[in-house]
């Protein structure tokens, strides 16, 4: 019987105007689908004119300038609909979705849907739940005592995955997908008996524990930064009174 990490997977990634999920915008996105390891991936990409300024600091990361996006990007509303529709189709097919640091990309998508479609990401998965595999959460739980950072670039180096064109949404999505397969193989004795749905539930618990540990470290360091325990999607912030 084929294990989940040797079977069909999809992956999702975004590039954005910044790192605040509540206020920043998506400027590019990609969904990558691979039926089995080594098979040719199918890639769908979107370029978005966010309708807001694109900071130079963001352009320095992904290379997408405000001028380029204004001339070549599409309006956000139809793009966000198409992305959510495609993710829902993968969920309906029972295809797990790989998202590196899922609370960032999925929360951003949710906020864009609320902003431009008067909708939410949850509404797309009322009949068929989304099953997420987050390489960052998986690696941090399965190899918790390893020192060093755990960015996508770090995970690729650790698991021997080639990352060509980092900070391109399609390249990052494919690399995250390959990392998840590599994690599954390396920890096969712990992973092969778990279904993606079971892993989804476990990752929510693992992420919460990881977040509490990071929050405690911040407290000891004198930082006031708040770490969200929610995974894979942060709840909507209450409206200001």
């Amino acid at each position: 019987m084929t294990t989940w990490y040797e079977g069909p997977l999809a992956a999702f990634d975004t590039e954005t105007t910044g790192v605040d999920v509540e206020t920043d915008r998506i400027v590019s996105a990609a969904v990558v689908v691979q039926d089995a390891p080594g098979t040719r991936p199918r890639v769908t990409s979107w370029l978005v004119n966010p309708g807001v300024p694109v900071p130079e600091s963001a352009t320095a990361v992904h290379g997408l300038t405000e001028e380029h996006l204004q001339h070549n990007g599409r309006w956000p509303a139809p793009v966000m609909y198409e992305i959510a529709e495609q993710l829902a189709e993968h969920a309906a097919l029972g295809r797990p979705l790989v998202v590196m640091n899922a609370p960032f990309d999925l929360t951003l998508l949710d906020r864009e849907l609320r902003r431009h479609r008067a909708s939410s990401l949850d509404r797309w998965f009322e009949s068929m739940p989304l099953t997420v595999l987050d390489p960052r959460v998986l690696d941090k739980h399965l190899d918790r005592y390893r020192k060093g950072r755990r960015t996508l670039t770090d995970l690729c180096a650790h698991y021997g995955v080639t990352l060509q064109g980092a900070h391109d949404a399609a390249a990052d999505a494919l690399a995250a997908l390959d990392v998840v397969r590599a994690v599954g193989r390396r920890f096969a004795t712990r992973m092969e008996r778990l279904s993606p749905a079971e892993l989804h539930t476990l990752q929510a618990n693992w992420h919460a524990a990881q977040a509490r540990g990071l929050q405690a470290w911040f407290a000891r360091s004198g930082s006031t930064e708040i770490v969200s325990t929610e995974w894979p999607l942060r709840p909507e912030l209450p409206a200001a009174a």
Side-chain angles (χ1 to χ4, degrees), residues 140 209-225 227:
K140 202 169 183 179
Q210 292 162 9
R212 288 192 293 269
L214 181 58
Q215 188 72 77
W217 184 85
F218 280 148
R220 292 193 299 271
S221 303
S223 172
T224 58
E225 184 173 347
V227 183

Side-chain angles (χ1 to χ4, degrees), residues 140-167:
K140 202 169 183 179
H141 176 77
L142 294 164
D143 198 359
R144 68 183 68 184
Y145 299 114
R146 188 177 82 248
K147 296 186 181 300
R149 302 194 315 160
R150 300 184 193 238
T151 66
L152 180 59
T153 300
D154 298 317
L155 295 184
C156 286
H158 181 72
Y159 288 99
V161 169
T162 300
L163 173 55
Q164 296 180 337
H167 299 297

Side-chain angles (χ1 to χ4, degrees), residues 185-217:
R185 294 188 195 102
R186 183 165 299 187
F187 299 96
T189 55
R190 301 165 67 181
M191 292 287 100
E192 61 187 1
R193 295 182 182 179
L194 295 169
S195 70
E198 290 171 327
L199 275 172
H200 181 100
T201 300
L202 288 169
Q203 285 170 101
N205 295 328
W206 296 342
H207 177 271
Q210 292 162 9
R212 288 192 293 269
L214 181 58
Q215 188 72 77
W217 184 85

Side-chain angles (χ1 to χ4, degrees), residues 20-51:
D20 187 332
V21 296
E22 302 298 338
T23 60
D24 280 304
R25 310 297 176 89
I26 293 173
V27 297
S28 70
V31 173
V32 175
V33 182
Q34 188 182 47
D35 294 325
T39 61
R40 186 180 183 86
R42 303 187 296 279
V43 179
T44 305
S45 297
W46 295 268
L47 196 65
V48 185
N49 177 358

